[in-house]
Amino acid sequence: MVVSNDDLFRRSTQYRFWSFTHSQLEELRIVANKKGIQKTEERINELDDSLPEVKLMRENQDQFQFVHLDEEKRLISYYARRCKELAAFFHLSAQVRSTAIMYLYKFYLYHSVMEYHPGNIMLTCLFLSAKVENHFIGINTFCKNIPKTTPEAILKNEYLILETMKFSLQCHHPFQPLYGFFLDIQQTLPKLDFNRLGKNYDGARELVNESLFTDLPFLYTPPQIALACLWLCDDVLVEKYLSKKFGLVKKSEQEDEDAIQHYNKLMVIIRHCADVVRKEALDPSQDESKTISAKIKLCLEPIRFGRKLMKQNGEQAAKRSGSITEGGDEKRVKLETE
Amino acid sequence: MSTAYTKEKKVGEGTYAVVYLGKQIATGRDIAIKEIKTGTFKDGLDMSAIREMKYLQELKHQNIIELVDVFADKEKNLNLILEFLPSDLEMIINDKKLMIVPADIKSWMLMTLRGLHHCHRNGILHRDLKPNNLLISPEGCVKIADFGLARSLGMPNEKLTSNVVTRWYRGPELLFGAQHYSPAVDIWAVGIIFAELMLRTPYLPGKDDADQLVVTFQALGTPTEENWPGVSHLPNYNNLTVYPEPSRQELRNRFPAATESALDLMCGMLALNPNNRLNTEACLLHGYFTESPEPTEPEHLPKKS
């Protein structure tokens, strides 16, 4: 029995545990989001009813805002971007950086931001990834360079992340196959202008970095994503290379039907991946992240919501006694009428 | 403790783990439990434990130790459930009561190389092959174990540490402190194990790192720019006594029981220049494995008495 590289990939944990269809991926996120809402509701229910802020909160519970599915995804991507910057700060390799980012996205396929704030999880993902990918950074060095964190806060989540990763830590990224294509293209198309290839290889590496902020790593294999990124930089080159690899260069009549089909199938995948890299790489703004983070704060500590209501009421009472003019926003008006 | 396994007795303790014997309750199968000590390291989970878990999760092969399960107990200790392997090749080599014939050596070599081939084709270097990391199953199968030093083959520009592999099994590129090396470091180690099986004693037992260079080059010759272009630029390549490469007759005298193709294979694995060393595929296709005698069936191999 000949074991192909495809067979080997199918045996990897990346394929067995971390490859999904689009709908499976959506389903996991819906379930995680529901779990986050349920956990938050439990936290609300556990609050001591005798406290005035809790009473007020119970009266206004319909106004409590959970984090929406789409917001979860955007906030995770916001922190994935910060993870990339932090990795650059520590001079970590593409492998460490990408693995950390994948850990972060994987973590939130099974948990909600309403359970664990991604700002904390991201740090542990990076710390763990540095160990997994052989670029150990001591916890004290790591923390010294990051404001507002402690070794305990980072190590506390290490085990949780490990477990969520199903103890499968290996990540295959498109960088290595991209380098493989870079070498093989030179072999296959020896007359090619090397500067053109070199420039497009660099461009493709940048796009591979962007592909991490999409769902592609869960949906396609690293070589497929690598080819798509290279194709975005130089479609003529990639199509010429693949035609030659599939033996489609000579326009003869006895062209292999199978080969044509394979080629076309691959091109459909490449075009689709390219489209996703170009249009779906998320990069939410800091303002947006702050808004979502504020919601998470209330989900993690719902008593804060009660306190917020108390404060609002207090302000309104003060306002009422000071002047009769109505100055409240919609929310306040609503509170008063209840 | 998980309800799926019993923990029966403690059989060993290393720097990062305690090993227990136990049983898988559902099947009655004997298993080894490697309980990783957490919380004792200030930097969180130990690197060796991480590597072992990372690579064993990816490698399922009849000649690689099986990671049956990973779970956490109540104290949040990490437990690696491994197949139970009662002996290792070192025990067999050292058990002077055992008679080892060439067909036995061929069988152990074949199984070792098959396991190693699977590591290498998955882009994984073991980096600590030695007889006591080649475990033996009750059925006589060799199982490569201890992936605590393993790593993935990285990008070509990545720097690797040369401080790997137990001294006696360390290839010349590592002795010279090379920061770029290949699966050939594992092949060298297997070549040394091959020699040790034939000799029944360690082949190149250097007393310290400096002595290891001397012992290695006395036996196999000192690498030079002629047989290994670029070697003189490696960090620890200096003030070397140049020993000649051994003649074929000298090798025959040192390994009197070896056939010509056994010597060919050994020399192919112990090529000084790592670029000239055989890879696992070339080793497995070597004439040594197809010439008589046939390798001993695993169940008939000598066992620890």
Side-chain angles (χ1 to χ4, degrees):
Chain A
M1 186 186 69
V2 179
V3 179
S4 70
N5 284 333
D6 284 354
D7 294 329
L8 290 176
F9 183 71
R10 274 189 281 267
R11 292 182 201 174
S12 69
T13 54
Q14 178 154 335
Y15 180 79
R16 291 187 290 129
F17 301 157
W18 299 105
S19 294
F20 305 100
T21 62
H22 191 75
S23 55
Q24 285 171 332
L25 207 54
E26 281 307 291
E27 182 61 28
L28 283 172
R29 288 185 174 133
I30 290 168
V31 171
N33 181 256
K34 277 190 186 144
K35 186 167 73 130
I37 292 174
Q38 194 193 331
K39 287 269 167 73
T40 307
E41 282 170 341
E42 282 167 21
R43 260 176 245 130
I44 294 173
N45 293 338
E46 278 162 14
L47 293 175
D48 181 356
D49 285 319
S50 63
L51 296 170
E53 57 263 51
V54 175
K55 255 183 223 152
L56 190 59
M57 196 175 144
R58 297 247 191 271
E59 287 159 17
N60 298 286
Q61 200 154 334
D62 58 322
Q63 286 172 54
F64 191 90
Q65 288 191 324
F66 297 102
V67 180
H68 188 262
L69 192 61
D70 189 53
E71 292 174 316
E72 292 223 24
K73 212 168 148 187
R74 297 188 65 79
L75 190 66
I76 298 158
S77 289
Y78 175 81
Y79 281 102
R81 295 273 177 185
R82 303 293 78 74
C83 185
K84 184 182 172 186
E85 291 166 2
L86 197 55
F89 173 83
F90 284 111
H91 304 288
L92 293 166
S93 68
Q95 184 74 22
V96 180
R97 171 176 81 223
S98 313
T99 296
I101 291 171
M102 286 316 298
Y103 286 171
L104 182 67
Y105 279 111
K106 286 174 180 178
F107 184 86
Y108 288 105
L109 294 181
Y110 293 97
H111 300 292
S112 161
V113 299
M114 288 174 272
E115 297 171 88
Y116 306 100
H117 195 287
N120 302 328
I121 296 299
M122 178 271 274
L123 294 177
T124 311
C125 286
L126 187 60
F127 177 71
L128 179 63
S129 163
K131 286 200 276 187
V132 170
E133 303 292 1
N134 259 303
H135 289 257
F136 178 77
I137 308 171
I139 189 71
N140 292 331
T141 316
F142 190 74
C143 284
K144 225 182 333 190
N145 290 288
I146 302 169
K148 286 187 270 179
T149 191
T150 61
E152 295 73 37
I154 288 172
L155 293 177
K156 167 180 96 185
N157 290 323
E158 191 177 42
Y159 188 80
L160 172 72
I161 292 172
L162 217 57
E163 199 173 28
T164 311
M165 295 306 112
K166 304 174 198 274
F167 305 107
S168 66
L169 300 173
Q170 171 115 309
C171 285
H172 297 283
H173 304 297
F175 297 103
Q176 236 164 332
L178 181 65
Y179 184 68
F181 288 123
F182 171 71
L183 297 178
D184 194 48
I185 288 171
Q186 294 172 59
Q187 286 269 311
T188 311
L189 307 170
K191 286 183 207 140
L192 185 80
D193 170 19
F194 185 76
N195 285 331
R196 172 176 165 183
L197 178 61
K199 196 177 112 242
N200 291 321
Y201 171 68
D202 290 343
R205 272 186 69 92
E206 275 310 302
L207 291 176
V208 165
N209 278 320
E210 282 299 294
S211 75
L212 291 168
F213 305 107
T214 71
D215 283 340
L216 288 179
F218 292 120
L219 302 170
Y220 294 93
T221 68
Q224 289 168 334
I225 300 168
L227 276 178
C229 292
L230 194 55
W231 183 82
L232 272 174
C233 296
D234 193 339
D235 52 348
V236 178
L237 169 72
V238 170
E239 287 172 30
K240 197 168 156 193
Y241 164 68
L242 291 177
S243 303
K244 198 156 177 200
K245 289 304 266 191
F246 282 98
L248 305 177
V249 172
K250 289 183 200 96
K251 287 270 178 266
S252 67
E253 275 146 42
Q254 73 249 67
E255 260 184 8
D256 185 353
E257 271 303 313
D258 274 4
I260 296 175
Q261 272 190 12
H262 261 113
Y263 174 85
N264 289 337
K265 205 170 153 188
L266 181 56
M267 280 314 301
V268 170
I269 292 171
I270 288 176
R271 286 202 186 89
H272 174 68
C273 288
D275 229 37
V276 174
V277 172
R278 221 171 20 196
K279 294 179 191 153
E280 293 177 23
L282 295 176
D283 190 5
S285 69
Q286 192 180 10
D287 280 351
E288 190 180 351
S289 93
K290 276 185 179 159
T291 312
I292 306 170
S293 274
K295 278 188 175 183
I296 294 178
K297 230 177 192 172
L298 299 186
C299 291
L300 291 173
E301 275 181 90
I303 188 82
R304 284 165 179 268
F305 179 62
R307 288 192 199 125
K308 195 174 143 195
L309 291 172
M310 293 274 278
K311 207 173 150 211
Q312 279 171 2
N313 278 4
E315 276 168 16
Q316 272 163 9
K319 223 169 239 167
R320 260 197 305 269
S321 59
S323 112
I324 305 160
T325 43
E326 184 61 70
D329 58 19
E330 249 187 281
K331 209 184 231 171
R332 287 183 187 169
V333 174
K334 198 176 168 207
L335 279 176
E336 274 173 350
T337 54
E338 275 167 2
Chain B
M1 190 64 210
S2 152
T3 50
Y5 308 94
T6 62
K7 204 179 256 183
E8 279 155 25
K9 70 170 197 244
K10 186 167 156 179
V11 287
E13 179 154 9
T15 46
Y16 75 93
V18 186
V19 183
Y20 299 89
L21 285 189
K23 272 194 168 44
Q24 189 171 35
I25 293 166
T27 58
R29 178 184 180 187
D30 287 327
I31 42 123
I33 301 172
K34 209 166 184 173
E35 186 186 286
I36 311 291
K37 301 173 189 168
T38 47
T40 47
F41 298 95
K42 79 167 178 50
D43 296 302
L45 193 59
D46 179 76
M47 291 272 285
S48 302
I50 286 178
R51 290 195 193 105
E52 181 127 286
M53 178 166 46
K54 174 180 174 187
Y55 294 115
L56 286 181
Q57 285 282 41
E58 306 297 325
L59 296 168
K60 305 288 171 199
H61 187 274
Q62 67 266 32
N63 298 119
I64 296 173
I65 190 168
E66 185 194 350
L67 179 61
V68 179
D69 197 3
V70 184
F71 72 87
D73 54 30
K74 281 195 214 79
E75 294 82 42
K76 293 235 162 175
N77 279 321
L78 194 62
N79 290 267
L80 306 185
I81 308 294
L82 296 155
E83 65 179 312
F84 170 67
L85 299 165
S87 81
D88 63 56
L89 209 52
E90 186 182 56
M91 290 181 190
I92 289 175
I93 292 169
N94 291 340
D95 188 341
K96 299 300 177 212
K97 289 192 283 294
L98 290 181
M99 157 105 154
I100 295 177
V101 297
D104 301 338
I105 296 176
K106 191 175 290 185
S107 184
W108 286 317
M109 285 299 289
L110 186 59
M111 292 189 281
T112 304
L113 284 165
R114 281 177 177 156
L116 186 59
H117 178 61
H118 191 64
C119 297
H120 288 178
R121 70 182 174 183
N122 279 289
I124 297 167
L125 308 187
H126 184 282
R127 304 199 302 179
D128 197 16
L129 290 172
K130 54 184 173 182
N132 78 346
N133 282 341
L134 298 177
L135 305 189
I136 309 283
S137 75
E139 297 77 33
C141 285
V142 170
K143 308 268 181 175
I144 299 177
D146 198 344
F147 282 72
L149 263 180
R151 71 160 289 158
S152 311
L153 263 174
M155 294 293 273
N157 53 0
E158 224 178 310
K159 282 187 179 168
L160 284 70
T161 168
S162 58
N163 189 20
V164 292
V165 188
T166 305
R167 190 187 304 122
W168 298 348
Y169 305 91
R170 216 176 274 164
E173 63 271 43
L174 298 176
L175 297 176
F176 288 140
Q179 289 180 318
H180 301 280
Y181 51 82
S182 68
V185 296
D186 288 335
I187 296 288
W188 176 278
V190 177
I192 298 291
I193 295 167
F194 189 18
E196 184 167 337
L197 282 165
M198 295 193 274
L199 298 170
R200 296 286 300 264
T201 183
Y203 180 35
L204 305 174
K207 289 190 282 291
D208 52 48
D209 290 355
D211 188 48
Q212 191 62 41
L213 282 162
V214 176
V215 172
T216 302
F217 301 143
Q218 271 173 350
L220 296 162
T222 305
T224 60
E225 279 294 319
E226 276 81 67
N227 59 22
W228 182 353
V231 65
S232 60
H233 301 294
L234 291 174
N236 306 340
Y237 188 94
N238 42 35
N239 298 324
L240 293 174
T241 312
V242 177
Y243 299 100
E245 283 196 48
S247 69
R248 188 72 175 188
Q249 195 51 48
E250 283 169 303
L251 287 172
R252 287 187 193 116
N253 295 343
R254 186 81 176 88
F255 299 94
T259 63
E260 287 302 304
S261 55
L263 283 183
D264 284 345
L265 175 60
M266 190 187 80
C267 292
M269 300 175 93
L270 298 180
L272 295 168
N273 181 347
N275 298 314
N276 298 339
R277 228 169 277 156
L278 300 178
N279 62 22
T280 49
E281 196 171 332
C283 290
L284 285 167
L285 294 172
H286 198 275
Y288 165 73
F289 289 111
T290 46
E291 75 171 4
S292 180
E294 275 182 39
T296 310
E297 289 298 329
E299 61 268 31
H300 298 134
L301 284 165
K303 286 193 177 67
K304 188 180 57 158
S305 49

